[in-house]
Amino acid sequence: MSEEHFRQLSPEAPELEPIIAGLFGEYSARYGDFFARDAEIELTEWYLPPQGMFVVLERNGEIIAMGAYKAFDAQTAELKRIWTRDDLRRQGLAQRVLVELEQRARRAGYRQVYLTTGFRQPEAVRLYLSHGYQPQFDTTRDTEEYSKPPFDGRLRFTKSLHHTVTAGAADEIQ
């Protein structure tokens, strides 16, 4: 029987390098340099408590999925880097990461979440729609249309986090 658990990490933890490389490799395969023209410079401190967090899902000590959030504004957490190793897809791992990030953001005091995904990620769009995320774009349009001006290729979603007390202690940063 395999053992799975979430662990909070610093975004600079060396054990993240292979899964981060997988994420950016997939982005490159799907989009080439499409997003390079307005790539966001990210700072490590954005993903550190209390305003942010980076978590991994481990199975038998191996990182199999990840996700993060950072402050978008005082009330909103922006979810980022939700990704599952490609050889482990279709097991509900991204869904588990999504739910974990929502719970942790709620406990951190955020009232809503915001996220973007790319126009060539239909599986991500389906995931977010199936979990109550509100699209900030017309879902009846071909998503490739969002890669052309006046759009920037990002499909935006929001979701309210209902404030309910969630049991569970926060993990230590390692």
Side-chain angles (χ1 to χ4, degrees):
M1 184 170 159
S2 65
E3 179 186 322
E4 292 182 356
H5 68 276
F6 282 96
R7 184 165 57 114
Q8 182 179 331
L9 290 175
S10 165
E12 294 180 335
E15 61 261 45
L16 283 175
E17 289 177 21
I19 198 159
I20 294 283
L23 167 73
F24 285 107
E26 183 165 335
Y27 286 169
S28 179
R30 287 187 191 218
Y31 300 106
D33 66 354
F34 180 86
F35 289 108
R37 68 177 181 268
D38 54 9
E40 178 180 50
I41 303 296
E42 294 192 329
L43 303 176
T44 299
E45 57 263 25
W46 293 350
Y47 297 103
L48 297 175
Q51 69 272 14
M53 185 172 297
F54 207 106
V55 297
V56 294
L57 178 59
E58 293 181 320
R59 178 182 290 160
N60 299 325
E62 187 175 344
I63 296 173
I64 60 172
M66 68 177 176
Y69 71 79
K70 64 180 185 172
F72 184 75
D73 62 34
Q75 302 296 315
T76 309
E78 181 178 2
L79 303 186
K80 303 282 284 181
R81 306 291 176 252
I82 298 171
W83 194 72
T84 301
R85 262 186 22 199
D86 61 354
D87 61 327
L88 298 172
R89 301 263 166 92
R90 304 194 58 79
Q91 296 181 24
L93 301 176
Q95 173 183 319
R96 289 185 56 202
V97 170
L98 183 65
V99 170
E100 184 74 13
L101 289 171
E102 289 174 359
Q103 290 173 349
R104 289 176 184 239
R106 183 182 305 112
R107 286 195 304 260
Y110 290 107
R111 297 186 181 278
Q112 64 181 358
V113 287
Y114 166 83
L115 62 83
T116 64
T117 193
F119 61 95
R120 292 186 181 145
Q121 291 175 261
E123 63 285 338
V125 170
R126 287 190 300 273
L127 172 67
Y128 303 137
L129 290 173
S130 72
H131 284 277
Y133 282 76
Q134 299 302 308
Q136 306 302 300
F137 61 95
D138 183 351
T139 59
T140 64
R141 293 175 80 165
D142 178 350
T143 57
E144 286 287 329
E145 292 180 41
Y146 290 100
S147 69
K148 299 174 179 73
F151 306 107
D152 66 1
R154 291 174 179 83
L155 306 177
R156 292 160 173 81
F157 291 86
T158 60
K159 181 178 180 180
S160 175
L161 296 175
H162 301 290
H163 275 290
T164 57
V165 176
T166 305
D171 297 329
E172 297 292 320
I173 291 183
Q174 298 188 2

